[in-house]
Amino acid sequence: MEIGILGPLSVSIDGTSVVPSAAKPRQLLALLALNAGRHVNMSTLTEELWDGAPPSGPASVVQTYVKQLRQAIALALGPDRERAPKDVLSRSYAGYALNPPAPFVEADVFQQLSNRGLRALATGNDEAASRLLGEALGIWRGPALADVRIGPVLRAEMLHLEEARRSALEGRITADLRLGRHAEVIGELRALTERFPLQESLHALLMLALYRCGRSWQALEAFRKLRASTVRELGIEPPLHIQKLHRAILAADPQLNLDTPSLAAL
């Protein structure tokens, strides 16, 4: 079974999709796929599917959705199946669980590559960090569960995944900057800072990349935009390390050159 949540929901057995077209069963499958191998209790399922306003007898409604999912699983397993659909999507006193045979879970692969890449970045192995984090980010096919209705349980999980994605992205760009690829990342950083106008670390990376390309005035303009956003939206000045970077750019501090191991050295 292949499980994909880093983009539109994708759950397939031997190449045959078991993702339903109906919104609620798809939402249920997404939650079970996200917790593959672990039971999800009825209260969690009810919270996700109906967000505090469940129908009368939610357990029987969930059972109907599960029946539909098992029918799709049965078709994917084929007539000569070694496992029953009830084994793949099981029920116990603890709730329901998706027990995929020989699973490939893209989110797990992303996390493994990302962890290895961030460890490489921390130890100064920037080539490996850039490569591993680039591979991790390449697994994403779009926003997580882009075609699934999201309730409170999945929303919390999506926030966690998006934060991990952003951490990997910042790590990969940091590695690229250390490797002298500042011109290559400017366009990407401009788009990211427009999308996340209050994400201070992205603005810092953009400022540094612009400075290293000989575009100091644009680096200062990036700081001005960040400051305007934080003052307007949050009522505060940018954090001290961003202000320190700003002063270093104004002074053309030599520590901003390519040999600088990190902004913390300023």
Side-chain angles (χ1 to χ4, degrees), residues 128-262:
S130 178
R131 175 177 55 80
L132 289 166
L133 292 171
E135 290 177 10
L137 293 164
I139 294 173
W140 285 73
R141 297 171 286 112
L145 297 178
D147 58 349
V148 175
R149 180 183 296 167
I150 300 298
V153 181
L154 284 177
R155 188 175 300 113
E157 296 289 349
M158 295 306 96
L159 288 173
H160 173 73
L161 282 171
E162 288 294 342
E163 185 60 34
R165 184 185 192 182
R166 191 154 48 239
S167 177
L169 181 58
E170 291 180 13
R172 198 223 77 221
I173 293 174
T174 298
D176 286 344
L177 280 174
R178 292 179 182 177
L179 293 167
R181 300 168 184 165
H182 33 272
E184 300 173 26
V185 301
I186 286 177
E188 184 177 20
L189 283 168
R190 283 196 182 281
L192 288 168
T193 53
E194 286 295 325
R195 182 181 176 190
F196 304 107
L198 298 176
Q199 194 71 28
E200 297 148 351
S201 54
L202 292 173
H203 285 80
L205 292 170
L206 175 60
M207 291 165 64
L208 189 58
L210 288 167
Y211 177 83
R212 288 178 173 175
C213 285
R215 296 156 66 176
S216 298
W217 71 271
Q218 292 181 350
L220 297 172
E221 176 65 13
F223 174 81
R224 187 198 66 77
K225 287 182 66 175
L226 172 63
R227 182 179 182 276
S229 295
T230 57
V231 170
R232 180 178 64 253
E233 300 294 334
L234 305 176
I236 60 173
E237 294 286 335
L240 290 177
H241 71 280
I242 304 290
Q243 297 183 44
K244 196 172 184 181
L245 174 60
H246 176 243
R247 291 194 296 270
I249 291 172
L250 284 170
D253 192 318
Q255 291 191 75
L256 290 172
N257 62 29
L258 289 177
D259 295 327
T260 302
S262 70

Side-chain angles (χ1 to χ4, degrees), residues 23-84:
K24 288 293 186 183
R26 181 188 292 256
Q27 189 177 4
L28 172 61
L29 179 60
L31 184 57
L32 295 174
L34 195 62
N35 292 277
R38 302 187 299 272
H39 284 88
V40 182
N41 61 45
M42 184 57 64
S43 62
T44 300
L45 294 174
T46 301
E47 180 185 4
E48 170 59 29
L49 292 172
W50 292 288
D51 195 7
S56 176
S60 62
V61 179
V62 170
Q63 288 175 9
T64 299
Y65 297 157
V66 168
K67 182 178 179 180
Q68 295 173 18
L69 293 175
R70 284 175 175 162
Q71 289 172 347
I73 291 170
L75 290 174
L77 290 172
D80 301 324
R81 52 182 176 262
E82 297 179 359
R83 302 183 70 191

